Amino acid sequence: MGRDLRRAAPAGRRPGLTPSAGPTRHPRLRVGVDATPLLGQRTGIGRFVHHLVEGLAQMPDIELAATAFTLRGWRSLAAALPPGVRRRGIPVPARALRKAWGSSSFPPVELLAGRMDVFHATNYVLPPLRRAAGVLSVHDLSFLHLPATVHPDSLVYRELVPQGLRRAAAVCALTAVTADEIAQTYGFPRERIVVTPLGVDQTWFTAAGPDDDLEARLSLPSEYLLFVGTREPRKGLSTLAAAHRQLRAIDADVPPLVLVGGSGWGGELPSQPGIITVPYLDQADLPSVVAGAVALVMPSVYEGFGLPILEAMACGTPVVISDSPAMVEVAGGRAAVFPVGDAESLADRISEVLTGRHPEAGDLRAYAAGWTWSACVAAALAAYRMAAQQ
């Protein structure tokens, strides 16, 4: 690992830009996007891809097509795409593709998804390219720095990510912290890494707490602390459980802790009083649950962004986070921060929030409003144009 990529350049690649049909500042670009993250439960990456293709579809100088590298989920891709986005490609098993791409330059993405000027690999894996310019999204480097905290399937990124970086003309990262980390770890030119920060849907700013029906359906208490995310080792939930246990030992009236998200992997938390688990929630219910929380707590060992931070702030909900650098960047000084893994410090920060020591809801909402999906799409488009000119 850590191979220097500063001299790496896309080989055998011509932009092949098609002329625009009308007056425009830029030539028309044919863009292909890996839309595989749209299938199944929508994580933060899935929401990123949804808003990316939705925004690109409205660009008059972009000819957009989406593909998915999957066999079983291929038929559902068309329904998962926003209106106006074409599905292209063929159903192929993802594992077989990754195995082939790991050892050869076949099959190139054009063989699977048609001709294009730029292909955006949205989730760590950039296929071989024949003529298109490649753009690779690397959301974090947990697979490299904290391999024990990620699913074993993700360890393949240790080989596929540096391979993709050698193919890429440009890279997208969600934070400046991650962009710097990619450049320092792999030697990829920092000037060719574009930060594409996530945005916040407008529905979060008007969300109200759960009504009686939702409270009953999810067995929610009237007051609760909240965690949102997949329950897996990287999320630091053992630290959160220990901090909550400490608080309730001192004060039995500390609100219960509600964990919302998929069960993930790596074993369940030990059972303890005051912890309620709720399965994955879609966008019909999640904003209300976040808006009704006393505070959102994100104790992650490592993150590449931390979208729940902004979504909670858009609801006016106070936030407590670990000092994982990307989350600190995203929170912009408006969250209570504790050292990763320090349960006692986390208990102190939660106690401060419970006693009213946190930013006003209006300040949180105003800050979250500065994070827009339109800015994310514009940054991605800048990466495409940079790639096409390499």
Side-chain angles (χ1 to χ4, degrees):
M1 302 303 297
R3 179 174 176 177
D4 195 327
L5 302 176
R6 294 184 191 280
R7 296 184 181 274
R13 203 173 281 152
R14 289 178 288 177
L17 304 185
T18 54
S20 172
T24 181
R25 294 179 59 188
H26 298 286
R28 188 172 180 83
L29 272 181
R30 297 170 297 179
V31 175
V33 172
D34 178 3
T36 311
L38 295 181
L39 305 176
Q41 294 181 350
R42 291 281 176 89
T43 61
I45 295 175
R47 282 188 249 171
F48 162 65
V49 175
H50 169 81
H51 287 282
L52 176 68
V53 297
E54 185 177 59
L56 291 172
Q58 300 173 27
M59 300 284 184
D61 52 354
I62 295 295
E63 181 182 324
L64 182 65
T67 192
F69 301 118
T70 179
L71 179 61
R72 288 179 296 178
W74 173 254
R75 292 184 181 275
S76 60
L77 177 61
L81 293 174
V85 179
R86 293 181 301 132
R87 181 186 70 172
R88 294 186 65 179
I90 57 176
V92 184
R95 287 176 183 255
L97 279 177
R98 288 186 178 186
K99 184 176 181 180
W101 292 338
S103 59
S104 74
S105 59
F106 187 86
V109 70
E110 292 94 335
L111 185 63
L112 301 171
R115 294 178 61 188
M116 64 194 80
D117 301 315
V118 176
F119 180 75
H120 184 179
T122 58
N123 197 20
Y124 295 98
V125 181
L126 179 60
L129 306 139
R130 180 173 292 165
R131 297 170 68 91
V135 175
L136 175 62
S137 278
V138 179
H139 304 291
D140 64 65
L141 299 183
S142 56
F143 61 88
L144 181 64
H145 298 318
L146 296 166
T149 70
V150 302
H151 193 281
D153 288 350
S154 296
L155 296 181
V156 70
Y157 295 155
R158 291 182 295 184
E159 287 74 41
L160 292 179
V161 165
Q163 184 181 67
L165 291 172
R166 288 191 290 272
R167 293 170 176 154
V171 169
C172 293
L174 301 180
T175 59
V177 165
T178 303
D180 292 342
E181 191 176 9
I182 293 167
Q184 293 163 9
T185 301
Y186 294 108
F188 194 89
R190 180 61 179 85
E191 65 274 13
R192 285 166 46 200
I193 305 176
V194 178
V195 177
T196 54
L198 304 184
V200 185
D201 295 347
Q202 288 304 307
T203 54
W204 291 91
F205 293 92
T206 56
D211 58 21
D212 293 343
D213 176 69
L214 186 58
E215 279 192 1
R217 179 155 53 89
L218 301 179
S219 300
L220 293 175
S222 58
E223 288 191 332
Y224 52 91
L225 297 162
L226 181 67
F227 164 84
V228 175
T230 304
R231 298 192 294 277
E232 60 184 55
R234 184 169 59 90
K235 298 299 182 176
L237 292 180
S238 58
T239 301
L240 178 54
H244 191 254
R245 189 165 55 247
Q246 290 179 27
L247 288 169
R248 287 174 70 89
I250 297 170
D251 182 358
D253 292 330
V254 167
L257 172 62
V258 175
L259 309 178
V260 173
S263 57
W265 69 280
E268 293 293 329
L269 287 171
S271 177
Q272 71 182 57
I275 294 184
I276 301 166
T277 58
V278 174
Y280 171 87
L281 295 177
D282 60 23
Q283 292 301 293
D285 293 329
L286 184 58
S288 290
V289 174
V290 174
V294 176
L296 175 85
V297 187
M298 287 195 68
S300 301
V301 176
Y302 179 96
E303 289 284 348
F305 192 82
L307 185 55
I309 295 170
L310 296 176
E311 292 171 339
M313 290 182 178
C315 294
T317 300
V319 177
V320 180
I321 62 172
S322 72
D323 61 357
S324 177
M327 291 203 299
V328 172
E329 178 182 329
V330 170
R334 290 162 177 82
V337 182
F338 73 96
V340 166
D342 188 335
E344 185 173 351
S345 179
L346 173 54
D348 289 341
R349 300 293 83 74
I350 293 174
S351 180
E352 290 170 1
V353 170
L354 292 176
T355 55
R357 283 176 281 178
H358 55 74
E360 295 293 329
D363 180 54
L364 295 176
R365 290 192 178 97
Y367 176 72
W371 298 74
T372 66
W373 288 112
S374 60
C376 176
V377 173
L381 183 55
Y384 303 162
R385 298 210 176 277
M386 177 193 301
Q389 294 169 5
Q390 292 294 318

